[in-house]
């Protein structure tokens, strides 16, 4: 098992580019199933979740070629409509294959994706949407058998009780080739939804309103090949901005889309950071002492992203004063608190609320990544803490961050990835 070892106390300074967005590349790779031909996707980050998605595409009969950050998918050879349990379980978001396979084949057989470290992750909204397209769903022995083979998929009006990102994606994927028009009410507004629609529209789909609460999809008969470049990852960008803020450094991010980072910039400025936007560049410089952030409520976009909650909590552990978090999206997304306490942080959590009392210093500790974003928060705390921090279970981090230790080292961090049996090389 690998570990990440951090020797804290170095301030991070410099300029970096941000990797492609994990939560954009995953649904877009699934969308290549609808093309029934060749799709070329650029700026695909090298992540284990992307590997898992490619594995499923190949299982379904597609040929997939990865050359650096470009992935080429030929889905004309697709010859299956089922995803086996072991592949479904590798990645929670594999549920988005439901829409991709239904849109292409009219029948999909998946195992229930199951929950994960941050919550039960139900899929009721996904399944009820499929039924509204006219599909029949049978749940047996942990399998979901979804079929619209008799009448085919018919466009419809779907109102989501919650602006679910995954459900919105599944509806778009199913609607793109359905007969008639689909209207999604209370759709998710995340930038990754816009990116998915942009790719599908390049392939000839007719999707309007992505990024707004009402999305209209006019079904078309077929889609054609296209090339697409994945948007930068706003959560990874946020993570590295917070790293600079916590270490008294200054950081410039190239190639970001500033409007995607609005919900993060506001609290960073409240904590005393200078944040300047110039075209597609964002520069942050941190104050000597960070100030508390009165309240962070996670909300659907354009609210504060739940995926940056753990990282922002790490920042508030060393801010001057008391900060309050309310996690409104996932019911158990505070597992990182137990690990932050090992650094000497002062946090009290009850239900959806967590109260963080800032302390002057953190001390290095042996911690584990509890989940993807919780793991990134461990790195952030280690960068700030005095002494050595050893982080285990880093496979969680590799799901969403491409070589974080290399990026941070390029900014001046003393950080290494070591194999568990090796002695840490930072002593
Ligand atoms: C996507 O997950 C992201 N994953 C998550 O990022 C992100 O946290 C989440 O959206 C919210 O922004 C990918 O895009 C691959 P949801 P998703 O459906 O689609 C409830 C990361 O760290 N819900 O918007 O699964 C659900 O339980 C990951 O990169 C239902 O009740 O999120 C949750 O409370 C973590 N029924 C809320 O909605 C459903 O049928 C939001 O879930 C579906 C969802």
């Amino acid at each position: 098992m690998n570990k990440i070892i951090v020797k804290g106390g170095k301030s991070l300074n410099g300029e970096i580019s941000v990797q492609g967005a994990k939560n954009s590349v995953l649904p877009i790779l699934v969308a290549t199933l609808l093309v029934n031909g060749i799709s070329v996707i650029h700026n695909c980050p090298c992540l284990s979740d992307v590997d898992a998605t490619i594995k499923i595409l190949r299982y379904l009969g597609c040929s997939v070629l990865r050359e650096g950050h470009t992935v080429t998918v030929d889905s004309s050879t697709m010859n299956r409509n089922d995803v086996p349990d072991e592949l479904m379980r590798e990645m929670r978001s594999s549920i988005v294959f439901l829409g991709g396979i239904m849109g292409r084949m009219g029948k999909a057989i998946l195992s229930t994706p199951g929950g994960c470290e941050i919550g039960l992750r139900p899929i009721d909204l996904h399944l009820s949407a499929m039924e509204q397209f006219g599909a029949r769903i049978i749940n047996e022995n942990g399998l979901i058998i979804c079929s619209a083979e008799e009448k085919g998929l018919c466009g419809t009006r779907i109102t989501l009780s919650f602006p679910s990102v995954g459900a919105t994606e599944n509806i778009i994927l199913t609607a793109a080739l359905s007969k008639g028009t689909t209207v999604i009410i209370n759709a998710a507004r995340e930038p990754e939804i816009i990116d998915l629609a942009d790719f599908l529209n390049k392939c000839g789909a007719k999707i309007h309103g992505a990024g707004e609460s009402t999305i209209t999809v006019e079904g078309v008969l077929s889609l054609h090949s296209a090339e697409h470049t994945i948007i930068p990852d706003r959560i990874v960008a946020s993570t590295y901005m917070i790293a600079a803020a916590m270490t008294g450094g200054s950081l410039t991010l190239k190639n970001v889309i500033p409007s995607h980072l609005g919900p993060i910039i506001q609290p960073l400025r409240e904590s005393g950071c200078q944040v300047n936007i110039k075209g597609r560049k964002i520069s942050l410089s941190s104050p000597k002492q960070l100030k508390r952030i009165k309240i962070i409520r996670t909300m659907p976009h354009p609210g504060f992203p739940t995926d940056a909650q753990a990282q922002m909590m790490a920042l508030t552990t060393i801010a001057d004063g008391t900060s309050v978090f309310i996690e409104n999206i996932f019911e158990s997304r505070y597992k990182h608190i137990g690990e932050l306490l090992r650094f000497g942080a002062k946090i009290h959590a009850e239900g959806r609320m967590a109260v963080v009392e800032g302390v002057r210093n953190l001390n290095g500790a042996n911690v584990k990544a509890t989940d993807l974003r919780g793991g990134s928060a461990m790195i952030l705390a280690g960068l700030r803490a005095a002494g050595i921090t050893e982080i285990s279970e880093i496979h969680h981090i590799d799901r969403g961050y491409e070589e974080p230790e290399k990026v941070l080292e390029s900014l001046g961090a003393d950080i290494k990835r070591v194999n568990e049996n090796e002695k840490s090389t930072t002593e």
Side-chain angles (χ1 to χ4, degrees):
M1 287 278 278
N2 289 345
K3 272 185 177 179
I4 285 181
I5 315 281
V6 189
K7 189 171 184 179
K10 310 267 183 185
S11 87
L12 302 190
N13 298 283
E15 183 171 287
I16 54 171
S17 285
V18 174
Q19 69 185 59
K22 166 180 85 78
N23 292 348
S24 183
V25 69
L26 300 183
I28 285 176
L29 285 177
V30 174
T32 63
L33 294 174
L34 302 177
V35 171
N36 188 3
I38 292 180
S39 306
V40 181
I41 314 296
H42 301 293
N43 201 26
C44 292
C46 297
L47 304 169
S48 53
D49 270 11
V50 174
D51 297 340
T53 304
I54 290 173
K55 221 189 265 182
I56 296 175
L57 289 174
R58 286 181 173 142
Y59 174 85
L60 293 171
C62 303
S63 68
V64 184
L65 176 68
R66 180 198 260 284
E67 293 162 304
H69 290 107
T70 294
V71 173
T72 303
V73 182
D74 180 356
S75 62
S76 61
T77 51
M78 179 177 182
N79 56 17
R80 300 186 72 111
N81 62 7
D82 68 301
V83 181
D85 189 45
E86 65 272 15
L87 292 182
M88 283 294 288
R89 283 187 178 280
E90 261 195 56
M91 183 182 61
R92 207 331 285 194
S93 50
S94 40
I95 188 61
V96 81
F97 272 96
L98 175 62
I101 298 172
M102 282 302 288
R104 171 73 183 271
M105 309 288 261
K107 178 173 185 178
I109 304 171
L110 312 176
S111 65
T112 39
C116 67
E117 308 78 13
I118 60 175
L120 289 173
R121 314 291 293 272
I123 57 171
D124 55 304
L125 300 178
H126 299 251
L127 300 182
S128 67
M130 292 302 130
E131 287 172 334
Q132 294 175 66
F133 277 109
R136 213 159 42 81
I137 292 174
I138 300 168
N139 267 308
E140 62 185 21
N141 321 321
L143 282 184
I144 301 164
I145 301 162
C146 182
S147 169
E149 286 175 319
E150 300 79 46
K151 299 194 305 294
L153 294 161
C154 301
T156 180
R157 189 183 177 82
I158 298 174
T159 298
L160 288 172
S161 57
F162 183 89
S164 156
V165 171
T168 302
E169 290 164 350
N170 262 332
I171 295 168
I172 290 173
L173 291 167
T174 307
L177 295 174
S178 292
K179 289 189 289 289
T181 298
T182 297
V183 180
I184 311 171
I185 313 287
N186 196 28
R189 297 176 55 195
E190 275 69 7
E192 293 75 27
I193 302 287
I194 301 173
D195 209 23
L196 173 62
D198 285 351
F199 167 65
L200 285 169
N201 284 340
K202 282 178 190 168
C203 300
K206 290 184 178 159
I207 303 166
H208 311 282
E212 298 306 318
S213 296
T214 300
I215 298 177
T216 303
V217 184
E218 289 170 56
V220 294
L221 286 175
S222 65
L223 296 178
H224 55 71
S225 292
E227 286 201 52
H228 184 75
T229 299
I230 300 292
I231 57 172
D233 193 310
R234 60 196 169 101
I235 304 301
V236 169
S238 308
T239 306
Y240 291 135
M241 288 169 83
I242 292 170
M246 289 179 71
T247 57
S250 60
L251 173 67
T252 295
L253 295 176
K254 299 184 289 192
N255 83 310
V256 289
I257 301 175
S259 62
H260 294 174
L261 289 158
I264 296 289
I265 292 171
Q266 188 276 325
L268 283 174
R269 283 178 172 154
E270 185 182 343
S271 74
C273 294
Q274 285 279 328
V275 181
N276 297 312
I277 296 170
K278 201 156 173 255
R280 287 189 59 139
K281 275 191 177 185
I282 285 191
S283 299
L284 173 142
S285 55
S286 64
K288 280 262 165 297
Q289 168 63 54
L290 290 165
K291 291 183 282 185
R292 62 95 183 248
I293 300 169
K294 266 195 290 302
I295 188 158
I296 292 265
R297 282 186 191 85
T298 63
M299 298 297 279
H301 194 77
F304 185 89
T306 175
D307 293 348
Q309 176 254 107
Q311 302 91 306
M312 199 56 91
M313 186 179 287
L315 179 146
T316 60
T317 63
I318 44 101
D320 180 19
T322 300
S323 307
V324 175
F325 287 79
I326 302 180
E327 173 51 61
N328 291 308
I329 306 294
F330 289 105
E331 71 273 15
S332 58
R333 200 168 197 173
Y334 281 151
K335 289 200 169 63
H336 48 278
I337 290 178
E339 300 303 307
L340 285 173
L341 294 177
R342 295 165 73 97
F343 286 98
K346 285 186 181 166
I347 309 170
H348 179 75
E350 262 181 58
R352 300 256 175 175
M353 184 178 276
V355 179
V356 182
E357 190 190 329
V359 294
R360 300 296 293 171
N361 300 302
L362 298 176
N363 296 308
N366 291 346
V367 293
K368 65 181 169 53
T370 51
D371 53 78
L372 164 55
R373 306 304 173 182
S376 73
M378 295 305 113
I379 295 178
L380 297 173
L383 290 168
R384 168 62 189 239
I388 303 286
T389 291
E390 294 203 5
I391 305 166
S392 57
E393 312 279 318
I394 59 172
H395 61 280
H396 289 294
I397 301 171
D398 292 335
R399 288 188 42 224
Y401 291 84
E402 184 177 307
E403 299 189 311
E405 72 281 0
K406 292 207 172 123
V407 173
L408 292 165
E409 200 173 29
S410 75
L411 295 171
D414 187 338
I415 181 170
K416 292 276 177 290
R417 177 186 294 256
V418 296
N419 184 307
E420 186 110 68
N421 312 320
E422 286 169 28
K423 275 191 69 56
S424 65
T425 50
T426 48
E427 271 153 17

